[in-house]
Amino acid sequence: MRRSTTIPLVSRQEQVASLLLAVGRASAGRPGFALVGGDAGVGKTRLISHVAEAAEQAGASAVVVHCVDLGQVGIPYLPFTEALTQLQAGAAGPEAAARVTELVAERPALWRLLEPGGTGDADHDERLQLFEGIGRSLALSGVPERPLVLVIEDAHWADASTRDVLRFLAARARSENVLIVVTYRSDDVDRRHPLRPLLAELSRLEHVERIDLQPFNEDELREFTTALAGRPLAPAGFAEVLDRSEGNAFFAEELLDAGPDSASLPWTLTEVLRTRLERLDPEVQQVLRIASVAGRRVREELLRAAAARWGKLDVDAALREAVTAQVLVVSGAHLEFRHALLAEALYADLLPGERSAVHRAYLAVIEQDGPDGMPIGSAAERAHHAFEGHDLPAALSASRDAALQARQLLAPEEELRHWEQVLALWESVPDAEERIGRDRVDVALSAGEAAARAGDPMRAVKLTQRAVDGVDDPVRRAGLQHVLVHRYLDLPDWDEVPGRLEAAVAELRAALEILPERSPERIWTNALLARVTMIIDLDDDARGHAACAIDEARKIGQSGALADALSTLAVLDVADPDRAAALLDEARTAAADAGDVLTEMRALYNAAANRFYAGDLAPAEQRVGQALARAEELGLAWSTYTVNLRILQEIMLYFRGDLTPRPTEGVPATSKQVMDASRMYAAVARGDDDVIARGEALFDHWRSDGMIALLGGGCLVDALTWAGRYDDAAALAERITTHLGEVWSELFLARIWLSSLAIAALADAAEADRSAGRAGAPGSAAATAVVARAAERLDRGDSLLATARETAQRGRPRGGVLGPEGQAWLQRAAAENARLHAVVGHAPGAAGAYSEGGESVSGELWREAAASWQDTVNAFDFGYRYEVARSRYRWAEALLGAGEREAAEVEAAEALSEAEDMGARPLADAVRALARRARLDLPGVRRATASTLTEREEEVLGLVAQGLSNRQIGERLFISTKTVSVHVSNLLAKLGASGRAEAVSLAHQRGLLEV
């Protein structure tokens, strides 16, 4: 693993900019002070080192000195002695060194400062001379355009004399070309620290800037750890580093260096924390150790009661000292360790027997009744302290109570954790079933449901399978099959393995043979059979099972199964959107009545998706918003269907042209990759610098969820095309199509989108070849290769278009109607293929398979594509704004090829306006490049002129672009070959090109070549 000093500075742009502005002011004769504070390890030194280096590159002189922790026997003026020594040695240049050396010789106070112990007996007058001499030496070392930046590190260890000098220099600053940067540890500067009043005093001065360096946020820490490790951390590993380090750079680096499997603190980190704690009185340390057993945060009354049981301690005095030393901070009725790792280090120092004893002390306190007759502590606290105190029966009961409380509070993650604790303790408590009041199978089922609501479907499957495997009674086991299948259906890739769905159908049908008539289990089994048979296109069977479940559920009032069967029937009736919507509304109401929150979310998702795929996006957007709000109310923020709703929301925002980056905080590890994939749409359209790396990082997760392959991979195809990696883009589209054809079906509808993107990459590749003049001499091997490559692209394009059309005809969605988006993508595929034929037909040396009328054919298809997307806009109310703009850009390009400049200018102007308004940088850049090449008059685009090249050089360049040799150019222009060679040399020099192909490419990019 790399060290932090070897990687570029992460984040801190605002602080760097502020300090460099201060350097600029110092250069102009406005001296300044910057006080940079932050906790130990937060990154002060890294920031200052970066600023000092940047300042030196800008012409300043940077001198870095340090205060040192020497206990009670400090060395007066140590940092200024170090500074004078460096300045005399030439740190600010030889001229400054000569001036400082002369000044030292003239002033005995300065001369004595450089001798060990030379200032110990200085009187008031000598101190004043010394202070003035230090200030003068700094002033002589900074000049306009080369200011002095003096960095004084670790001022929390500064002696009184050093603090006096700082106060003097700040008060006397006038017009020196000097910036003084002082760093200090804010966690060491408590109320009694001698630096505290100086900081307050200096902060009131106008030319003093105070910078409080905060820990990294989640995104910044992710960037930092990725740079250190050389690759992104696994989600679980990153979450642990984030949780334990709390964004502190040093802590994160040490935890990362210790490795992901290290539960204990690295010794380097432990020593840093211990050093700070060992300064405290032993009694204070004891109280803090007791506090650490409660975790990061503890109620003050609980800590006092536990400490009273532990022994005779002056708790009041100890807590006051801990708060004064900033080890603990007050947070309402709680006391909280300033950093979680402080609590961790203290807890690690306790012997096993001590830990158990303190846990039992806490348990004894929280089991007592409070004034309201209820236990003082929560069930979760009781469970924790009982388990760690080795009272396993109490831990079992408390964990059950904690799980039930978490369910009431709609906290499925906590509920799952407590049910799993019950399962873990089961074998260790002989009378577990009597204590809990239910058997182990019921506990495992409850844990599985909690995992499903928490958005961890794989854990839900494992727990439910464990429950089913523990049942011997065949009737009860049959009654649980629908629960198991329900959990399996939440897995994103479960139905992608051949035979799984058919096996599930067989299991459910076998269960029907055993289950009693009209029993709730039988009704649920029919409801699940309807879902599974619908997935494998046995629609008649699905309708029969759904109707049976609905009829029997109505008769006995089984609302949960009724809701599930109604939701399935709505999907079967998708061809009638209004009927489907009515069924889903009824399903949602029934699920809510039953308290079946997972089925309720399924109905809410299907209702939103129903409107979305029907092209009615305004109601769809409204339903998504309502569904997500309901998910938050139910504590289902990341359940399976909630994740699907969030993906739908991302896509609809992109449709509208809202490309705003979304925050990544709060996304659990189980949903991170699919959410990253859905956000690739907007990232590609924005042109994020790291978008290709983000897309490639998802490759390893394709097998876990086909949606990751589709969304992340498809968007990556687009990103690679924008980046000019055309062959990679086309190959990736075909790879995704093959992959999803294997795990989904050969005719999945998104093949239309992928085919369109692949054809676009092929057309751009052909355009790049044409622009670079890659033709070679007629009859040469190069020319033959160009023709073969062009023919291959045409064949691939025709094949991809045929695939898209076949998919539209045979792979239509349930209901038989291809939606407006699918129709628009199909139209774009045809337009892209026509563009490919038109480009190849006009390429030098190409076969010309489509050259006759190629531009006009392409233009007509792009007009229809733009109209198709516009129709989509009208149908959707807010529409697919980005694709409308992109189609207008291609339409303008085709119009130019057909000689219709005025019409092209109108479409290009509209495309540019929309792209700029959305923040779609690659598209906007492409439209501007087109305008420059074609010399279109668009707002904000400077038209290309011949000022770069002479008129004759432009003529020569145009013929070079056609692949002509110097001799052929001379014959065409009636000039000698030697004269052509001179013109070619001149234009190469002006364009900064190393050869003819590069010159053509550069000229094309700069708009100096006609389309």
Side-chain angles (χ1 to χ4, degrees):
M1 189 192 79
R2 291 184 289 177
R3 305 305 299 175
S4 58
T5 52
T6 66
I7 65 173
L9 183 70
V10 172
S11 188
R12 313 303 192 199
Q13 290 87 356
E14 182 180 345
Q15 293 84 358
V16 169
S18 181
L19 289 167
L20 290 179
L21 281 174
V23 174
R25 289 193 296 270
S27 180
R30 288 181 290 163
F33 260 71
L35 307 175
V36 181
D39 287 358
V42 80
K44 299 181 297 298
T45 298
R46 184 75 177 86
L47 168 69
I48 295 306
S49 299
H50 177 85
V51 170
E53 183 179 345
E56 288 185 324
Q57 290 176 354
S61 301
V63 173
V64 180
V65 297
H66 306 80
C67 301
V68 180
D69 182 15
L70 297 175
Q72 300 296 320
V73 187
I75 300 177
Y77 311 109
L78 178 61
F80 295 105
T81 301
E82 186 182 356
L84 282 174
T85 302
Q86 290 189 41
L87 291 173
Q88 279 191 295
E95 294 181 0
R99 291 193 293 269
V100 171
T101 300
E102 183 179 350
L103 178 68
V104 169
E106 294 174 354
R107 303 202 178 192
L110 284 180
W111 179 75
R112 284 198 297 271
L113 179 65
L114 297 175
E115 289 190 343
T119 59
D121 299 324
D123 59 22
H124 179 272
D125 290 339
E126 287 178 322
R127 274 170 57 87
L128 180 60
Q129 291 176 16
L130 176 61
F131 289 5
E132 289 179 339
I134 291 172
R136 182 62 181 156
S137 65
L138 298 179
L140 290 173
S141 300
V143 295
E145 307 304 327
R146 189 173 183 179
L148 173 67
V149 179
L150 176 63
V151 178
I152 302 176
E153 288 256 50
D154 299 324
H156 51 281
W157 288 326
D159 61 280
S161 299
T162 296
R163 294 194 298 272
D164 289 341
V165 174
L166 289 172
R167 185 179 288 108
F168 176 87
L169 294 174
R172 295 293 184 93
R174 295 293 182 268
S175 60
E176 300 84 3
N177 302 108
V178 177
L179 170 66
I180 298 178
V181 181
V182 179
T183 74
Y184 62 94
R185 291 182 186 172
S186 53
D187 50 342
D188 276 358
V189 182
D190 56 40
R191 290 197 303 259
R192 300 174 185 173
H193 198 286
L195 184 64
R196 194 180 184 97
L198 175 61
L199 294 174
E201 180 182 337
L202 296 183
S203 297
R204 290 192 289 268
L205 299 176
E206 184 179 357
H207 59 284
V208 175
E209 180 179 9
R210 192 160 180 171
I211 297 174
D212 294 315
L213 208 58
Q214 299 300 316
F216 290 140
N217 61 30
E218 183 175 341
D219 286 340
E220 292 166 344
L221 185 65
R222 182 175 284 107
E223 182 184 352
F224 180 70
T225 55
T226 299
L228 286 178
R231 64 186 184 282
L233 299 184
F238 174 75
E240 182 178 0
V241 172
L242 174 64
D243 181 59
R244 296 178 75 189
S245 72
E246 296 181 317
N248 184 291
F250 172 69
F251 293 171
E253 185 172 358
E254 293 301 313
L255 291 170
L256 199 59
D257 198 36
D261 299 325
S262 175
S264 60
L265 292 176
W267 72 267
T268 49
L269 187 49
T270 302
E271 288 305 311
V272 170
L273 297 170
R274 280 178 178 163
T275 299
R276 182 166 183 214
L277 294 168
E278 286 171 358
R279 300 174 187 169
L280 301 173
D281 184 83
E283 193 163 284
V284 177
Q285 294 182 46
Q286 181 61 33
V287 171
L288 288 173
R289 280 192 285 271
I290 296 172
S292 74
V293 173
R296 169 76 180 279
R297 197 165 183 257
V298 60
R299 293 196 306 279
E300 184 179 350
E301 62 181 32
L302 182 58
L303 173 58
R304 289 178 179 277
R309 288 174 172 267
W310 185 250
K312 293 183 179 180
L313 295 169
D314 188 348
V315 178
D316 285 339
L319 291 179
R320 279 196 297 271
E321 181 63 26
V323 171
T324 298
Q326 297 192 87
V327 176
L328 294 178
V329 295
V330 178
S331 177
H334 291 75
L335 293 169
E336 188 174 289
F337 282 93
R338 183 181 177 93
H339 198 287
L341 290 183
L342 285 168
E344 198 173 325
L346 283 161
Y347 189 74
D349 270 349
L350 290 169
L351 296 172
E354 290 180 296
R355 293 181 191 175
S356 299
V358 179
H359 279 295
R360 287 195 295 271
Y362 274 113
L363 179 62
V365 173
I366 61 179
E367 283 184 330
Q368 297 176 359
D369 291 341
D372 57 358
M374 299 297 291
I376 294 175
S378 68
E381 288 177 299
R382 284 190 286 118
H384 170 66
H385 290 298
F387 181 79
E388 295 297 338
H390 305 301
D391 187 344
L392 301 188
L396 180 81
S397 300
S399 295
R400 183 271 320 274
D401 294 343
L404 295 175
Q405 286 182 2
R407 184 178 181 87
Q408 291 175 344
L409 295 172
L410 303 176
E413 293 90 349
E414 288 73 17
E415 181 188 352
L416 171 62
R417 180 165 54 84
H418 292 302
W419 282 132
E420 289 190 314
Q421 180 80 304
V422 172
L423 291 171
L425 292 169
W426 198 272
E427 295 292 343
S428 301
V429 181
D431 59 343
E433 187 169 336
E434 290 74 15
R435 282 179 172 273
I436 297 300
R438 55 200 303 190
D439 66 11
R440 193 171 183 174
V441 170
D442 279 341
V443 172
L445 289 172
S446 295
E449 184 186 353
R453 287 186 281 111
D456 191 347
M458 180 57 73
R459 190 68 188 144
V461 164
K462 289 180 179 179
L463 288 163
T464 307
Q465 186 72 64
R466 178 177 175 180
V468 174
D469 291 344
V471 175
D472 295 325
D473 178 14
V475 175
R476 187 182 185 191
R477 186 182 181 91
L480 294 179
Q481 285 300 321
H482 74 88
V483 182
L484 184 58
V485 172
H486 204 157
R487 299 289 170 257
Y488 272 116
L489 286 173
D490 284 341
L491 291 175
D493 62 338
W494 181 68
D495 58 348
E496 295 172 5
V497 176
R500 276 183 174 174
L501 290 170
E502 289 76 8
V505 169
E507 291 282 353
L508 291 171
R509 284 179 172 158
L512 282 180
E513 298 295 325
I514 299 174
L515 293 170
E517 293 291 331
R518 293 193 178 180
S519 64
E521 291 78 14
R522 184 180 181 86
I523 297 170
W524 265 111
T525 301
N526 267 312
L528 264 294
L529 259 171
R531 286 182 65 177
V532 179
T533 51
M534 176 187 68
I535 294 172
I536 57 178
D537 293 328
L538 299 175
D539 287 7
D540 291 340
D541 283 2
R543 284 184 183 279
H545 288 296
C548 185
I550 291 169
D551 179 58
E552 294 190 359
R554 291 191 196 280
K555 290 176 181 177
I556 70 168
Q558 188 65 32
S559 299
L562 172 64
D564 196 82
L566 286 169
S567 296
T568 299
L569 188 59
V571 178
L572 291 167
D573 287 346
V574 71
D576 185 348
D578 293 334
R579 170 170 164 74
L583 289 169
L584 288 168
D585 286 340
E586 184 183 357
R588 184 191 60 77
T589 302
D593 290 343
D596 188 341
V597 294
L598 293 174
T599 302
E600 181 179 353
M601 290 311 302
R602 181 191 176 208
L604 287 169
Y605 167 74
N606 283 340
N610 179 18
R611 306 319 305 172
F612 174 79
Y613 290 113
D616 197 3
L617 290 202
E621 184 185 37
Q622 183 180 15
R623 285 177 179 263
V624 166
Q626 293 169 347
L628 288 175
R630 180 62 173 158
E632 292 289 344
E633 291 176 7
L634 297 174
L636 302 175
W638 294 100
S639 67
T640 297
Y641 282 106
T642 310
V643 171
N644 291 339
L645 283 162
R646 294 186 187 279
I647 294 170
L648 201 57
Q649 184 182 52
E650 290 289 337
I651 293 172
M652 286 193 291
L653 288 169
Y654 169 66
F655 272 25
R656 188 197 294 160
D658 182 354
L659 308 182
T660 307
R662 314 287 168 210
T664 59
E665 292 87 351
V667 180
T670 51
S671 303
K672 182 180 182 305
Q673 283 75 35
V674 74
M675 290 306 301
D676 286 348
S678 68
R679 289 167 176 170
M680 285 280 290
Y681 280 108
V684 173
R686 285 193 308 268
D688 290 359
D689 293 337
D690 64 342
V691 70
I692 291 178
R694 284 156 58 184
E696 291 173 341
L698 296 172
F699 285 166
D700 293 340
H701 303 279
W702 282 19
R703 286 286 173 189
S704 66
D705 188 346
M707 288 299 290
I708 297 174
L710 176 62
L711 302 180
C715 291
L716 181 57
V717 171
D718 215 1
L720 290 169
T721 303
W722 281 122
R725 293 170 57 181
Y726 310 118
D727 292 336
D728 290 345
L732 178 61
E734 292 168 347
R735 174 184 165 194
I736 300 166
T737 300
T738 300
H739 170 72
L740 293 179
E742 293 172 353
V743 300
W744 286 351
S745 70
E746 185 180 348
L747 294 172
F748 67 96
L749 285 172
R751 286 209 312 177
I752 302 172
W753 175 51
L754 293 170
S755 297
S756 176
L757 294 177
I759 300 170
L762 294 173
D764 280 357
E767 178 63 43
D769 278 358
R770 184 175 76 171
S771 298
R774 296 175 188 143
S780 67
T784 302
V786 167
V787 172
R789 189 163 58 243
E792 185 215 356
R793 285 177 181 146
L794 291 179
D795 288 343
R796 288 174 71 187
D798 291 344
S799 177
L800 287 164
L801 179 57
T803 294
R805 286 173 171 164
E806 179 191 20
T807 303
Q809 291 172 357
R810 296 176 51 207
R812 289 185 178 180
R814 194 176 302 277
V817 178
L818 185 65
E821 183 195 356
Q823 294 171 10
W825 279 115
L826 185 61
Q827 184 61 45
R828 182 181 162 189
E832 291 287 8
N833 199 48
R835 179 167 72 95
L836 170 61
H837 277 273
V839 171
V840 170
H842 287 172
Y850 216 63
S851 59
E852 189 63 35
E855 297 287 4
S856 60
V857 171
S858 177
E860 177 61 22
L861 288 173
W862 278 114
R863 183 192 67 77
E864 293 175 5
S868 182
W869 288 119
Q870 190 63 48
D871 289 343
T872 303
V873 170
N874 295 335
F876 288 4
D877 294 330
F878 58 79
Y880 210 150
R881 187 179 176 193
Y882 178 77
E883 285 302 331
V884 172
R886 177 149 61 175
S887 293
R888 286 186 181 278
Y889 155 60
R890 290 300 185 192
W891 186 12
E893 192 175 48
L895 287 168
L896 283 169
E900 300 179 39
R901 291 183 56 81
E902 291 185 5
E905 202 166 86
V906 170
E907 298 305 325
E910 183 67 25
L912 179 59
S913 174
E914 285 289 274
E916 288 180 331
D917 192 53
M918 287 184 284
R921 179 172 55 83
L923 178 56
D925 289 347
V927 179
R928 291 192 194 96
L930 174 65
R932 286 193 295 270
R933 291 195 305 272
R935 299 179 182 175
L936 298 179
D937 189 10
L938 297 188
V941 178
R942 184 169 60 85
R943 297 172 66 175
T945 67
S947 58
T948 304
L949 305 176
T950 66
E951 184 176 349
R952 177 60 83 183
E953 287 165 353
E954 282 191 329
E955 289 181 301
V956 171
L957 178 62
L959 296 173
V960 167
Q962 295 180 26
L964 299 177
S965 66
N966 285 359
R967 181 181 60 78
Q968 291 169 322
I969 294 172
E971 291 172 354
R972 183 76 60 88
L973 298 179
F974 303 103
I975 57 178
S976 69
T977 302
K978 184 175 181 181
T979 301
V980 174
S981 178
V982 171
H983 286 312
V984 170
S985 297
N986 287 341
L987 67 87
L988 290 177
K990 290 180 179 181
L991 293 173
S994 59
R996 296 161 71 97
E998 185 180 1
V1000 172
S1001 178
L1002 290 171
H1004 181 77
Q1005 295 171 21
R1006 298 175 189 179
L1008 297 176
L1009 282 174
E1010 295 285 353
V1011 176

